Amino acid sequence: MRIDVDGAPFEVDPQPGQVLRTLLREHGVTSVKKGCDAGDCGACSVLVDGVPVHSCITPAHRLEGRSVTTAAGLGTPEDPHPVQRAFADAAAFQCGFCTAGFVVTASTLDPDDLADRHRRLKGNLCRCTGYRAIEDALDGVTNTACAGAGEAIGRSVAAPAARRIVTGQEEYTLDVRGTEALLHLAVLGSPHPHARITAIDTTAAEALPGVHAVLTHHDDPGVLFSTGRHESRLDDPDDTLVFDRVLRFRGQRVAAVVADSVRTAELACDLVRVEYEVLPSVHDPDEARRPGAPLLHGEKSTAEHRIAEPKRNVVAALHGATGDVDAALATADATVDGTWSTGRVSHAALETHATRGRLDADGRLVLRTATQVPFLVRDEIARVFGLDPERVRVVAKRVGGGFGGKQELLTEDLVTLAVLRTGRTVQYEYSRQDEFTIAPTRHPMRVRVRLGATADGALTAMHVDQTMDTGAYGNHGVGVMFHSVSESVAVYRCPVKRVDAESVYTNNLPAGAFRGYGLGQVVFAIESAMDELARQLGIDPVDLRRRNVIVPGDPLVVTDPDEETDLRWEGSYGLDQCLDLVEDALAGPLPEVPRMDGPVLDDSPDWAYGTGIALAAIATMPPRGHHAHTTVELRPGGRYRIGVGTAEFGNGTTTVHTQLVADALGTTPDRVDVHQSDTDAAEHDTGAFGSAGVVVAGRALYAVAQTLRDDLVARAMAIVGARTPRTADGPLGPAIAVGPEGVRIGDELVGHDELLADGPLLAHGRHDGTPRSLAFTVHGARVAVHRPTGEVRVLQSVQAVDAGTVLNPEQLRGQVEGGSAQAIGSTLYEEVLLDDTGRVLTDAFRSYRVPKISDVPRTEVLFARTHDPLGPLGAKSMSEAPYNPVAPAVANAVRDAIGIRPYRLPMTRDRVWALIANATDAGGA
């Protein structure tokens, strides 16, 4: 049949039951993205005869003779559609994976539709932005500005990829056109939460036409590893195999089929015959630690596999104290004792995990993959498969969201095994259901907090007792546990502290790295307890915090006051400013609250109103080293080329990197080209996690750009000296300036091409991520609670951040808004629910509620005025930090409204309703 796509005729022959999205992708139309394949997220939106539809649920055979327009058909980077131009100018994206679908839908809105935008756009989800910038785009607000030479820092410079993103032209992982014949991989998952494979027969699957290989535990390379990736692989337990005979959670790999198509591979999976010995399973971390509980990794050892107590299912533990906490609590004037619990949360990045692998002309393995850590993936793939790291190249194009979920090795190992077996190009792409059922989530935690204080509000005792469900494998189970009880505890001065924390294996799907890396869960508990303490003492919650937070000169104490640390935060302290800024904002008038679905907000007794505040601290980069090697090279025509390993997934590092280099070299950001997130682009980069992209790689880039500047000046002076010998102009010599046209020495200009006449100009630099600094955030919220239904509406959301020098105000504002919106989601709506056998019940966006444009308020973002001597030009990191204080601020506001303390996240309507209905049962979780 024939259809028109973006003005061009297509002769196509859809497969039975095929949808428009897959048909378009098969024919090279990569401006259409896959987010859900269920009509829930809108990433695949296109126009059919001018009407927006979700192409993932539109039958392809219905399109004969019709016209399809994608984002690429609306406009080009050189000539964008007005809506696309507005999205670019407003910086209405971060990772940008949803943006092509958003602009398609928004292009159909006329001025009369804008008042009804929330209903018209409810089918389009954004995980990154918090939606404010998207609404700005719809209103024609420009948030970005051009920067002249020497003006890049402190300006809201647009992302280099802005126009490519809004027109659907920016490449993501699987946006590859015109490649060689491609094989696809599908996985057969375990139907049991705990079982041992006793027999497996792949004969029928291998005989199916189009099948090239069936992979099982017989093909496993036999090397234990962890899917969690860190600079030191010893930070994580070796408890995972590519294929294991023992299956420890539902959906774990049993076999993988490599075939000509996904459909053939899936059909072949159904033909694999497996016999299992079903083993007892355990799904609660408290039960998992009891004597006699089923052991998940009992055959492994502490010394060899780095598992704290395999015979207790404990992967990591911390038990330590300074002082006698029970004695201090016994003599306190006021005490608080409560247990708070947090749910399992999906990262819900719109681009699912995916890898395409091949062997290049030299036989080198090349993996193009959705990862935050390409170098760490390369090194572990080489180790597991016995390859020379130089024979492995890992490339990450723009990644469609990460939030820590792509700090894992989840698809790359299977693709490597398949490529090495077949010698062909192989692709493995998670479905949205896979993302919910087998991809790691945020760690669920139960956190008991006991606080003691004097009558005037000075803390005398703090005890944090944390239990963490790390699931079937310990990827990040060690690091998250230690980090969760680090800055959350250290931010308060208290003479007596005790921490008891354990990360526990269960037969649930694994948990992993998630924005905030455990701090959000423990901060929720501590900040809720601090709010309750303030109520007991009759002290304003802000004043109680001012009374007890660390100030310059205080040691950072968790359990050991003599512990050595590389944190150096005294030179940059903005927590006091943040508290003041939020307190003032909450005292002002409420912002305009948009109309939302559900009960009408009015002055009736059905609605209760409250205010809450919470704070958090976070190190500006991960501990124990975070390395970045960078290069900057002068190219013909006065352009500069950056070589940096950091991946771009909406964190905005690419934009800031161009700004830093432009500033150092006296040029404009548009003259800086970036070669990034490719193991061929730099010697090494630990990765884009822990908010390290600006403060580590950015610092390395700024230093190397300054080195190159010195090299340019030296060569220019040599050229000038050779052609016009002269004496110095005055005691300090001639004025020297590096600019967009070259190097000016006195009144003589040496152009860039002349500078290159004597050979290339390339400088190398690095930063090792130490010492580290500390960033602070304070969140305030005003809420309305509808008593008859338990619905919570956030009427005001304000966050003050101590981010040091603000390099790009709009981008920083977007990071704070996005982190706050994501936190509101996991505070009020989002939870991956499991039954008592570990089966995931929320396996689609329609059952797992990611906030829509109508669900989150605009977060007012306020900047403290600080300068961090450890960051590039005084900047601190701020991608993870905004998430952490939001849940307790909202929970404290709910407590203020209804007089009952919430102890469990998310605070869904049914749970809040139950709190109100059963007010006498409002104790611990």
Side-chain angles (χ1 to χ4, degrees):
M1 71 182 202
R2 173 175 168 154
I3 59 175
D4 286 338
V5 179
D6 294 336
F10 273 57
E11 294 290 339
V12 296
D13 185 18
Q15 298 296 314
Q18 187 171 24
V19 296
L20 178 59
R21 185 195 72 79
T22 59
L23 183 73
L24 293 172
R25 297 281 302 185
E26 286 176 2
H27 287 78
V29 184
T30 59
S31 52
V32 178
K33 309 303 180 187
K34 184 193 93 168
C36 66
D37 274 353
D40 294 332
C41 77
C44 69
S45 297
V46 300
L47 303 181
V48 175
D49 294 339
V51 177
V53 302
H54 290 173
S55 63
C56 69
I57 55 172
T58 301
H61 71 271
R62 296 183 182 176
L63 275 296
E64 183 167 8
R66 304 182 73 178
S67 175
V68 176
T69 304
T70 75
L74 287 176
T76 65
E78 297 74 27
D79 185 22
H81 183 280
V83 167
Q84 293 171 326
R85 187 186 303 275
F87 268 68
D89 291 346
F93 60 87
Q94 285 178 27
C95 85
F97 197 78
C98 71
T99 307
F102 253 108
V103 298
V104 164
T105 305
S107 72
T108 66
L109 303 182
D110 59 38
D112 293 336
D113 293 323
L114 293 181
D116 196 27
R117 65 183 63 174
H118 288 178
R119 185 182 66 83
R120 295 291 300 272
L121 291 171
K122 67 180 181 180
N124 290 82
L125 296 179
C126 176
R127 189 55 158 167
C128 298
T129 65
Y131 297 105
R132 184 272 311 166
I134 291 174
E135 296 211 56
D136 281 355
L138 298 176
D139 293 331
V141 177
T142 296
N143 294 319
T144 60
C146 296
E151 298 177 344
I153 298 302
R155 296 178 68 87
S156 296
V157 175
R163 291 205 172 186
R164 297 194 303 273
I165 288 169
V166 299
T167 57
Q169 299 302 302
E170 180 72 350
E171 284 191 357
Y172 293 82
T173 305
L174 299 184
D175 293 343
V176 184
R177 300 173 176 85
T179 60
E180 66 275 24
L182 180 65
L183 301 183
H184 296 268
L185 192 149
V187 170
L188 174 67
S190 171
H192 307 292
H194 202 188
R196 180 180 288 107
I197 299 171
T198 58
I200 188 165
D201 184 356
T202 61
T203 306
E206 291 169 332
L208 188 69
V211 170
H212 292 257
V214 181
L215 307 171
T216 70
H217 63 273
H218 296 299
D219 303 286
D220 181 77
V223 178
L224 284 163
F225 65 101
S226 173
T227 63
R229 307 307 324 130
H230 289 99
E231 173 65 27
S232 171
R233 67 171 315 279
L234 302 180
D235 285 351
D236 303 291
D238 283 333
D239 60 5
T240 303
L241 292 169
V242 177
F243 283 105
D244 201 330
R245 285 190 64 185
V246 178
L247 309 165
R248 298 176 174 88
F249 70 100
R250 290 183 180 274
Q252 183 173 341
R253 304 167 181 170
V254 174
V257 175
V258 185
D260 288 335
S261 68
V262 174
R263 177 175 175 78
T264 299
E266 291 174 342
L267 290 173
C269 283
D270 293 337
L271 299 176
V272 177
R273 297 292 172 253
V274 189
E275 296 179 15
Y276 302 96
E277 175 192 357
V278 178
L279 303 173
S281 62
V282 60
H283 300 277
D284 182 88
D286 286 334
E287 294 178 7
R289 292 180 291 184
R290 291 178 182 144
L295 297 179
L296 276 78
H297 298 277
E299 78 286 359
K300 299 182 176 74
S301 72
T302 301
E304 182 179 359
H305 303 104
R306 300 180 300 285
I307 299 172
E309 297 182 67
K311 301 303 183 185
R312 287 185 61 237
N313 286 320
V314 173
V315 65
L318 171 63
H319 299 283
T322 174
D324 186 334
V325 71
D326 291 325
L329 286 167
T331 59
D333 295 324
T335 61
V336 169
D337 187 345
T339 300
W340 286 263
S341 64
T342 58
R344 185 175 274 103
V345 178
S346 172
H347 302 81
L350 287 193
E351 182 190 34
T352 63
H353 289 84
T355 300
R356 176 176 290 192
R358 62 183 176 87
L359 299 175
D360 67 14
D362 296 325
R364 185 165 67 149
L365 175 68
V366 180
L367 299 175
R368 178 173 167 135
T369 187
T371 183
Q372 298 172 224
V373 286
F375 288 82
L376 304 187
V377 167
R378 177 199 63 185
D379 293 347
E380 196 67 358
I381 286 292
R383 193 188 77 87
V384 170
F385 291 94
L387 304 173
D388 183 339
E390 293 185 359
R391 301 296 297 166
V392 181
R393 178 186 179 192
V394 176
V395 180
K397 302 301 289 185
R398 192 177 187 93
V399 178
F403 318 112
K406 289 168 182 169
Q407 194 189 336
E408 304 272 356
L409 196 158
L410 299 178
T411 55
E412 296 89 349
D413 57 333
L414 271 188
V415 170
T416 295
L417 186 58
V419 170
L420 296 179
R421 168 66 71 85
T422 64
R424 297 277 299 277
T425 300
V426 179
Q427 177 172 300
Y428 178 33
E429 181 182 15
Y430 270 17
S431 67
R432 180 54 55 185
Q433 185 179 50
D434 291 335
E435 292 290 337
F436 284 118
T437 58
I438 62 175
T441 66
R442 187 180 78 160
H443 282 81
M445 294 188 194
R446 286 196 287 267
V447 185
R448 182 186 181 190
V449 177
R450 295 192 294 163
L451 298 178
T454 63
D456 63 354
L459 285 174
T460 59
M462 175 184 288
H463 181 203
V464 175
D465 187 351
Q466 176 246 62
T467 301
M468 187 171 93
D469 180 357
T470 200
Y473 292 90
N475 47 303
H476 298 284
V478 179
V480 168
M481 189 212 72
F482 280 101
H483 189 243
S484 69
V485 291
S486 179
E487 294 98 299
S488 59
V489 173
V491 74
Y492 285 110
R493 296 191 311 275
C494 186
V496 178
K497 291 181 178 180
R498 179 170 183 84
V499 171
D500 293 288
E502 291 191 342
S503 177
V504 185
Y505 286 123
T506 66
N507 290 110
N508 298 324
L509 77 158
F514 189 98
R515 198 173 202 162
Y517 211 64
L519 284 179
Q521 297 94 306
V522 177
V523 168
F524 167 58
I526 292 176
E527 289 298 295
S528 294
M530 286 292 291
D531 189 74
E532 203 61 34
L533 184 64
R535 291 178 180 279
Q536 279 197 31
L537 293 169
I539 297 175
D540 181 84
V542 177
D543 290 339
L544 182 69
R545 288 169 172 82
R546 288 194 184 102
R547 173 74 172 79
N548 290 285
V549 293
I550 53 173
V551 296
D554 287 339
L556 294 171
V557 179
V558 179
T559 60
D560 181 2
D562 298 320
E563 180 182 7
E564 293 187 8
T565 177
D566 65 340
L567 281 172
R568 303 285 184 268
W569 61 279
E570 295 90 342
S572 171
Y573 179 80
L575 180 52
D576 52 349
Q577 296 180 53
C578 291
L579 285 166
D580 292 344
L581 289 167
V582 171
E583 184 179 40
D584 290 345
L586 292 176
L590 272 174
E592 182 180 353
V593 180
R595 186 184 66 80
M596 302 172 70
D597 296 335
V600 176
L601 189 67
D602 55 27
D603 295 328
S604 74
D606 286 347
W607 289 96
Y609 297 85
T611 301
I613 193 169
L615 62 81
I618 189 170
T620 55
M621 62 191 83
R624 295 183 299 282
H626 196 105
H627 303 274
H629 298 249
T630 61
T631 61
V632 180
E633 180 183 10
L634 175 64
R635 308 297 290 270
R639 302 194 68 82
Y640 294 92
R641 189 174 196 253
I642 293 172
V644 61
T646 306
E648 173 64 69
F649 56 97
N651 47 350
T653 54
T654 305
T655 311
V656 172
H657 288 169
T658 63
Q659 290 178 263
L660 289 168
V661 170
D663 180 77
L665 292 165
T667 189
T668 54
D670 61 306
R671 297 191 183 205
V672 179
D673 303 313
V674 184
H675 181 200
Q676 66 187 50
S677 55
D678 179 347
T679 54
D680 280 358
E683 181 180 336
H684 181 73
D685 189 286
T686 299
F689 63 89
S691 298
V694 168
V695 293
V696 180
R699 181 168 165 179
L701 275 170
Y702 194 71
V704 73
Q706 290 177 310
T707 298
L708 181 61
R709 181 190 183 282
D710 292 342
D711 293 343
L712 296 178
V713 170
R715 186 170 289 188
M717 291 187 71
I719 291 170
V720 169
R723 71 187 182 196
T724 54
R726 57 192 296 169
T727 58
D729 294 352
L732 299 179
I736 300 173
V738 178
E741 283 75 43
V743 180
R744 185 172 295 279
I745 299 177
D747 56 2
E748 297 195 45
L749 175 68
V750 182
H752 290 113
D753 290 347
E754 188 177 1
L755 289 168
L756 289 171
D758 290 336
L761 280 163
L762 171 69
H764 297 261
R766 60 171 293 168
H767 182 48
D768 60 4
T770 187
R772 301 175 296 145
S773 189
L774 207 61
F776 300 96
T777 51
V778 175
H779 198 88
R782 285 196 269 185
V783 306
V785 181
H786 191 241
R787 295 178 181 275
T789 64
E791 179 181 347
V792 177
R793 291 189 187 172
V794 181
L795 307 180
Q796 182 179 13
S797 171
V798 56
Q799 187 159 151
V801 301
D802 171 20
T805 300
V806 179
L807 302 178
N808 187 313
E810 176 60 27
Q811 186 166 279
L812 176 57
R813 179 186 179 191
Q815 291 292 306
V816 178
E817 291 169 332
S820 299
Q822 190 174 36
I824 288 172
S826 55
T827 299
L828 298 179
Y829 313 120
E830 298 181 45
E831 185 173 19
V832 177
L833 295 173
L834 277 60
D835 68 13
D836 58 6
T837 68
R839 187 190 312 275
V840 175
L841 304 175
T842 48
D843 61 356
F845 279 137
R846 61 192 56 190
S847 57
Y848 180 89
R849 186 180 172 188
V850 171
K852 304 186 296 294
I853 193 170
S854 61
D855 290 327
V856 290
R858 289 193 175 202
T859 292
E860 182 182 2
V861 181
L862 306 170
F863 301 143
R865 297 178 64 86
T866 63
H867 178 93
D868 185 6
L870 301 180
L873 298 178
K876 297 184 184 182
S877 59
M878 195 50 61
S879 291
E880 291 202 77
Y883 180 88
N884 297 321
V886 175
V890 175
N892 291 339
V894 170
R895 165 67 172 88
D896 188 47
I898 64 176
I900 307 165
R901 169 67 56 189
Y903 286 86
R904 184 179 178 186
L905 296 181
M907 294 182 291
T908 54
R909 285 180 294 180
D910 57 321
R911 290 174 182 163
V912 176
W913 176 86
L915 282 177
I916 297 169
N918 303 289
T920 58
D921 186 27

